[in-house]
Amino acid sequence: MLINSLSHVRSAFWLNDGRWRQWEAYDCVNIDSVHNDGERHIPYIFIFPNSTISKLYAWAKYQASNGMIHEQLRCGCMTMSDQSPRVEYGCGRTMSDVSSMFIVYLLELLTWHDDPYSQQVVRDLYNASKKAAQWHMSVSTAEGIPIHMVDTYDVLRLESYPYDTYSGSFHLLAMKAAETLAYAMGDIEFAETCQKAFITGQQALDRLLWNETARYYNAYTLQTETDGIDKADTDPLGAIMTDTFYSQVLAYSLGLGTLVQNETRLKLHMKAELEHNDSPYGMLVLTGRHPYPGPYTDNAVWMMGNPNWATINMHLGEDVNQALQVGIKAMEHWRSVIHDEWNVVGIMGGLGYGADGMPYITSHYGYFMSSWHMVMALSGQKANMSEKSLTFDPKLDSLTDPPFVLPVLLPGVWGYLQNSRYQVGTDSKVSYSLVLHFGSLELSHLSVADCIHPDSSINIVTQQATSWSCSYT
């Protein structure tokens, strides 16, 4: 499924001046919406890192004067609203997962790509990321998280409510990523400012949206009479949204840790998502807002929900087999029932209104490509290439019962990690090998769990490997 997902590149184009650009989808003809690029970006930043770099310079070029990163480089969905010959200019909505995602891209380059050009890009665009983080703080002054914010789950109209967990958690991601980036750039004062905003945001998220009775985070704060929309809540416990913590997927892949204050609450929330929202085709995006079956906006399967649930649960140390089964559920329906891995929709039909498990909204879409994060979750890969460190903590029942073969993915570097077991007299040993298909690595620290490579200077090139072993009981 992941290999076939690379056919998504068909909607990209490469201009004579070297710019790499991509449509949102064939039915949405905007160019490089930051949030949609983020959902599909993992194979792109690993295989074609310069494609991400090309877009970063463009998004920064059109940054708003208040620091907000514009949603996209050219607008248009369903119809081309702008008939001018301009390829790009910056436009779109005010969103919680755009300026934040810009900061994340930059930190990914710093953390994952030990390349002089990438490091120069980080230096060039650091001030843009700093302004984006300052914008995030400016729209979060009332309570500590953004208010009335649009996000990639736009048809849910979460911006109609004062606060929602999805936008709040993306603010936490923005602050944590900006803090990490600022420390790396030696901007200590701003790093401390971001850290304070992060803690304030954590407290606000729990205060406003944690439901102690239901034991999950409400999708949104209940609306008031002044919010300008009809009351729709039928569940006094509050609605629950699948993929509420997509931001947590990005944070874990970057090694930023758990975003919320209390990890137990995150575990309870993930459990509740599956209990309340599961269906034969995948997890429904939102339940508890309307009586069943409710509108298609809520009663539908968005293709990020299942794989992102799996990624988070693997990082949390939950049952890996259940996580993988849930993670592939929607795509397994697509490949085994719909039989069309080359045209995966963004949204499948939900239950009870004649479109059950069928293609429903937006074709040739990239939501399902967030599945690539599952690979890093399974291997427990954590890279900090600026410190020449690469570690793995495989989410398997046993690290000493071979064999396992797990992918290793970094910008411009692809390979695999495998193990084997052997005896030396009465001493039981497990051996690990890191093999590269292409690219090269220069490392000073390499480990699998607590088995550390003995060398402090490790160089691996294409079609070569490095191996090391440890005793175990």
Side-chain angles (χ1 to χ4, degrees):
M1 182 270 290
L2 293 178
I3 292 298
N4 285 331
S5 77
L6 298 177
S7 67
H8 184 269
V9 76
R10 78 189 79 175
S11 61
F13 52 97
W14 197 5
L15 301 175
N16 282 342
D17 60 9
R19 286 177 292 172
W20 175 292
R21 299 292 183 262
Q22 194 162 15
W23 307 112
E24 177 183 338
Y26 286 156
D27 55 348
C28 276
V29 291
N30 60 72
I31 295 177
D32 285 311
S33 51
V34 181
H35 55 107
N36 293 129
D37 271 14
E39 293 139 13
R40 63 199 186 193
H41 84 286
I42 288 297
Y44 287 100
I45 199 171
F46 287 159
I47 302 174
F48 307 117
N50 285 349
S51 67
T52 299
I53 290 171
S54 174
K55 297 172 185 182
L56 277 166
Y57 276 110
W59 290 325
K61 177 181 179 180
Y62 298 108
Q63 186 173 27
S65 59
N66 64 1
M68 185 191 79
I69 299 294
H70 284 293
E71 178 188 4
Q72 50 210 6
L73 295 178
R74 179 173 176 138
C75 286
C77 194
M78 304 301 180
T79 59
M80 179 62 86
S81 57
D82 184 348
Q83 299 297 324
S84 79
R86 295 179 298 171
V87 174
E88 59 197 39
Y89 47 88
C91 58
R93 302 165 292 181
T94 302
M95 302 182 72
S96 62
D97 48 4
V98 169
S99 297
S100 51
M101 194 64 216
F102 178 86
I103 303 168
V104 168
Y105 284 126
L106 211 58
L107 184 58
E108 286 176 345
L109 281 179
L110 177 69
T111 305
W112 292 344
H113 203 194
D114 185 20
D115 169 80
Y117 179 47
S118 294
Q119 304 310 303
Q120 183 60 51
V121 172
V122 174
R123 290 190 290 271
D124 288 348
L125 301 181
Y126 173 68
N127 283 336
S129 73
K130 183 174 180 178
K131 291 176 183 177
Q134 290 169 330
W135 174 81
H136 252 276
M137 295 180 207
S138 74
V139 296
S140 305
T141 54
E143 292 284 354
I145 56 176
I147 188 169
H148 290 299
M149 202 61 66
V150 183
D151 61 68
T152 201
Y153 284 92
D154 46 9
V155 300
L156 298 180
R157 293 185 60 231
L158 294 179
E159 73 275 13
S160 301
Y161 304 93
Y163 300 100
D164 68 273
T165 302
Y166 180 95
S167 292
S169 66
F170 255 95
H171 175 68
L172 298 184
L173 173 64
M175 294 300 96
K176 178 55 72 173
E179 174 195 341
T180 306
L181 197 54
Y183 275 126
M185 299 299 292
D187 194 348
I188 307 303
E189 183 178 355
F190 187 64
E192 292 173 347
T193 299
C194 293
Q195 184 181 51
K196 291 176 182 176
F198 175 72
I199 294 171
T200 299
Q202 284 183 316
Q203 295 167 345
L205 196 74
D206 279 356
R207 182 177 67 253
L208 295 168
L209 291 149
W210 173 252
N211 190 317
E212 184 61 31
T213 303
R215 309 286 278 174
Y216 58 71
Y217 285 92
N218 286 346
Y220 47 81
T221 54
L222 297 179
Q223 63 271 38
T224 66
E225 298 297 338
T226 60
D227 281 331
I229 61 173
D230 295 333
K231 285 184 176 293
D233 291 275
T234 60
D235 184 351
L237 298 181
I240 182 169
M241 176 183 166
T242 296
D243 207 22
T244 297
F245 285 100
Y246 164 44
S247 58
Q248 187 62 73
V249 171
L250 298 162
Y252 278 145
S253 290
L254 261 173
L256 297 178
T258 302
L259 295 175
V260 297
Q261 280 184 313
N262 187 332
E263 189 175 275
T264 299
R265 288 185 172 182
L266 179 60
K267 291 182 178 182
L268 288 168
H269 177 87
M270 301 311 297
K271 181 180 178 181
E273 278 190 7
L274 188 63
E275 289 178 350
H276 289 271
N277 294 0
D278 197 20
S279 83
Y281 314 108
M283 297 167 71
L284 303 178
V285 67
L286 187 65
T287 61
R289 181 161 67 167
H290 296 279
Y292 177 82
Y296 76 89
T297 52
D298 297 16
N299 184 353
V301 177
W302 292 55
M303 297 298 283
M304 282 202 300
N306 281 71
N308 287 350
W309 188 96
T311 293
I312 293 172
N313 276 272
M314 281 191 279
H315 279 291
L316 287 172
E318 299 296 303
D319 184 274
V320 66
N321 293 314
Q322 182 195 32
L324 290 171
Q325 289 169 5
V326 173
I328 68 171
K329 187 174 188 178
M331 272 307 300
E332 180 60 28
H333 173 78
W334 202 261
R335 67 186 291 273
S336 298
V337 178
I338 306 299
H339 298 299
D340 193 359
E341 291 182 71
W342 297 269
N343 179 12
V344 181
V345 292
I347 304 173
M348 274 195 295
L351 304 177
Y353 52 90
D356 297 32
M358 296 301 292
Y360 203 49
I361 298 176
T362 196
S363 68
H364 298 91
Y365 216 73
Y367 278 151
F368 79 102
M369 293 173 71
S370 68
S371 303
W372 283 83
H373 287 279
M374 291 172 61
V375 176
M376 290 182 285
L378 187 62
S379 69
Q381 174 182 302
K382 293 289 184 296
N384 189 337
M385 302 315 294
S386 62
E387 297 183 359
K388 300 188 182 304
S389 173
L390 181 60
T391 66
F392 300 91
D393 184 15
K395 302 303 187 289
L396 305 172
D397 292 334
S398 173
L399 299 184
T400 59
D401 290 335
F404 69 66
V405 180
L406 296 170
V408 175
L409 309 174
L410 288 165
V413 176
W414 284 55
Y416 62 90
L417 176 72
Q418 66 180 8
N419 71 347
S420 61
R421 188 173 62 182
Y422 62 97
Q423 285 293 126
V424 178
T426 59
D427 192 11
S428 298
K429 289 184 173 289
V430 60
S431 174
Y432 299 103
S433 294
L434 176 58
V435 184
L436 294 189
H437 291 303
F438 63 84
S440 62
L441 286 172
E442 295 182 10
L443 302 171
S444 59
H445 178 86
L446 175 62
S447 64
V448 178
D450 57 358
C451 184
I452 301 172
H453 196 293
D455 296 339
S456 59
S457 179
I458 307 159
N459 298 299
I460 322 169
V461 298
T462 301
Q463 300 304 321
Q464 288 190 0
T466 185
S467 299
W468 72 107
S469 61
C470 293
S471 300
Y472 71 94
T473 56

